[in-house]
Amino acid sequence: MELFWLLVGIGIGAIATSACWVSWNYAKQRHKRKFRKRSHNGVKNRSIHSLKSWAENLHQNSRLEREPSESIAPDDDEVESLLAKIVEVAPIGYIQVDQDNRLAICNERAATMMGIANHHHGLLRKPFLLQLIRSYELDHLVEKTRSLNHSAQVDWVFHPAIPDPANPVPQIGRPIRAHSIYLGRGQVGIFLEDRQEAIAITQQRDRWTSDIAHELKTPLTSIRLVAETIESRVDASAKIWVERLLGEVERMTKLVQDLLEIGQMDVGIAPPLNLKEVELSPLIQAVWSTLEPLANRKQVKLNHIGDRSLTWQLDESRIYRLLLNLFDNSIKHSPSLQSITIKTSVVDSTLHIETIDAGDGFPEESLPYIFDRFYQIDLSRTRSGLDRGGSGLGLAIVRQIVTLHHGAIDAKNHPETGGAWITISIPTQTNSVTNTFTNTL
């Protein structure tokens, strides 16, 4: 019996041992399979990573190889060819002369304006500028630019040369504006602008303005007569309104007269000046008294610097209007609690008048057009942006009055206050001066 149970135990042990061996062997085989799969994936991943790294390195190396060739600047011939194409298709005329005043470049637009035929063939001979373009103004501009080594500008009417002196045909003048640039080594480039269309538009506008002024004279005269008639017949409480109406009619009448005089000056007709010895200090105070209510709103004061006994030969009514316009502009654009300075002096037999305020001054891009009629500065550039613009005639009328006195006027921004700085120069008036007139408008 004991032997039986011994055999049963040995059999169970053998079975258990076999089962353990089979399980262990199965687990071992499974582990090997997993290891081989993991190794395969690892090799595969490493291979992909290596391939990516190789591709990236190859791309980087190829880019480094390309960059030197891409950064190579084009040669001088390519640059010159490109500039020549740009100049030829430019919408503005351009010519260029060398140090000997020989024409080196002339585009199609410039050739058309200057009346140059077959300019491409003519440039091969490198002709002198005056051989193709007979213009003293243009030649003087080149010499001025070369001597000063900076840009200059000139406006003139160009008259082409008569092609056949034996059979002269009248040539139509063309208004031209030339702007020069110094290119170094004696070379000068000149941009040419055809001003014919702009001047035609300006002349049409001026004719329209003159026609309107003529049409306004009659109704203004009628309004004034009616106002003067009823002034003595209204109640005392309403009289102030009639007086205000007469003041506005008077202001409009003067404005219309100014427009008519500007129109006359455009065609070379100068209105006569009523010259006499004028004391400047009392005149300045009288003008300021007229505008004092407007100045008191901003608490703006007037500072007069100069000889209080200074007198000069002037047309008093016109100088009064000149100062009125200047002070009115200064007050409108001055901040509160500031002062407006006017300086009067005599240097080399010339009267100098300067007005300086503490406003925003003139935008740099507007300075060339400040004295053009109807020109108004963008209201967004003013200190508050709320000031209503005027007619655009104030400074144009100021220039007209200065021109009648054969003087000069200039506008800039004062370096200390930053405001408008207007300088006027009026020479000593003589009978010969007052009887002549040069149209500079």
Side-chain angles (χ1 to χ4, degrees), residues 9-283:
I10 292 173
I12 293 174
I15 292 172
T17 301
S18 299
C20 289
W21 182 85
V22 171
S23 299
W24 177 82
N25 189 47
Y26 175 79
K28 183 178 179 181
Q29 295 296 329
R30 185 177 181 184
H31 177 71
K32 288 182 177 180
R33 287 196 299 271
K34 288 183 177 181
F35 179 78
R36 284 196 300 270
K37 184 177 181 180
R38 208 163 39 241
S39 300
H40 176 73
N41 289 338
V43 172
K44 182 178 179 181
N45 290 337
R46 285 194 297 271
S47 299
I48 293 174
H49 178 71
S50 299
L51 180 62
K52 288 182 177 179
S53 300
W54 174 79
E56 289 175 355
N57 292 334
L58 181 62
H59 177 69
Q60 186 175 4
N61 292 335
S62 62
R63 186 177 60 185
L64 292 175
E65 292 175 357
R66 287 197 310 269
E67 284 179 354
S69 61
E70 291 175 352
S71 62
I72 294 176
D75 57 25
D76 293 341
D77 292 338
E78 292 178 351
V79 172
E80 187 175 349
S81 176
L82 179 62
L83 290 177
K85 291 180 181 178
I86 294 174
V87 168
E88 187 61 28
V89 300
I92 191 171
Y94 179 77
I95 62 175
Q96 183 174 317
V97 296
D98 59 17
Q99 66 274 14
D100 298 323
N101 269 14
R102 291 183 178 274
L103 194 61
I105 298 176
C106 177
N107 66 359
E108 184 70 31
R109 191 67 179 266
T112 302
M113 281 190 280
M114 299 291 106
I116 304 175
N118 197 12
H119 66 287
H120 289 297
H121 178 72
L123 289 177
L124 297 178
R125 300 181 290 105
K126 288 292 182 73
F128 287 103
L129 177 64
L130 287 176
Q131 286 182 270
L132 295 181
I133 306 175
R134 298 182 181 276
S135 170
Y136 164 78
E137 293 84 0
L138 192 60
D139 187 64
H140 179 69
L141 177 66
V142 171
E143 294 303 325
K144 180 180 178 181
T145 305
R146 189 177 288 136
S147 61
L148 298 179
N149 289 347
H150 66 71
S151 301
Q153 181 175 298
V154 65
D155 292 350
W156 85 102
V157 178
F158 174 69
H159 296 275
I162 298 175
D164 185 7
N167 185 23
V169 177
Q171 301 292 311
I172 300 176
R174 184 189 296 267
I176 300 291
R177 171 172 293 171
H179 184 84
S180 63
I181 53 174
Y182 184 66
L183 304 174
R185 299 182 180 179
Q187 300 180 92
V188 177
I190 301 173
F191 295 97
L192 300 172
E193 178 186 357
D194 190 345
R195 301 278 299 161
Q196 192 163 7
E197 183 177 356
I199 289 178
I201 293 173
T202 301
Q203 291 174 344
Q204 184 179 3
R205 180 202 64 189
D206 294 342
R207 285 194 298 269
W208 175 84
T209 303
S210 180
D211 293 342
I212 292 295
H214 276 289
E215 294 297 326
L216 286 175
K217 284 191 69 176
T218 301
L220 284 173
T221 303
S222 300
I223 293 172
R224 180 171 183 171
L225 290 174
V226 172
E228 289 175 346
T229 301
I230 66 175
E231 183 179 15
S232 59
R233 302 180 183 182
V234 299
D235 297 335
S237 59
K239 204 165 188 179
I240 186 173
W241 299 108
V242 179
E243 291 175 353
R244 182 174 296 181
L245 174 62
L246 285 171
E248 289 300 315
V249 170
E250 182 68 20
R251 185 180 66 85
M252 288 296 297
T253 302
K254 289 181 178 179
L255 179 61
V256 168
Q257 187 61 35
D258 288 331
L259 288 173
L260 292 175
E261 289 184 0
I262 289 177
Q264 290 175 343
M265 293 179 68
D266 285 337
V267 295
I269 303 174
L273 290 178
N274 183 21
L275 295 177
K276 65 178 182 178
E277 287 289 330
V278 176
E279 295 185 29
L280 287 173
S281 183
L283 181 62

Side-chain angles (χ1 to χ4, degrees), residues 280-281 284-285 302-308 340 342-344:
L280 287 173
S281 183
I284 290 171
Q285 291 301 323
L302 178 67
N303 179 27
H304 179 199
I305 300 175
D307 185 1
R308 299 305 172 98
I340 296 171
I342 179 169
K343 298 180 180 180
T344 55

Side-chain angles (χ1 to χ4, degrees), residues 301-356:
K301 304 298 182 183
L302 178 67
N303 179 27
H304 179 199
I305 300 175
D307 185 1
R308 299 305 172 98
S309 61
L310 178 61
T311 62
W312 205 257
Q313 280 278 332
L314 300 167
D315 186 318
E316 185 173 10
S317 63
R318 284 189 166 86
I319 296 300
Y320 182 96
R321 183 65 185 276
L322 177 148
L323 294 173
L324 188 71
N325 287 353
L326 292 180
F327 287 163
D328 183 61
N329 277 348
S330 295
I331 293 172
K332 286 180 179 178
H333 296 94
S334 290
S336 301
L337 303 174
Q338 295 293 330
S339 63
I340 296 171
T341 301
I342 179 169
K343 298 180 180 180
T344 55
S345 61
V346 175
V347 179
D348 296 333
S349 300
T350 301
L351 172 65
H352 294 274
I353 302 175
E354 301 178 46
T355 60
I356 304 168

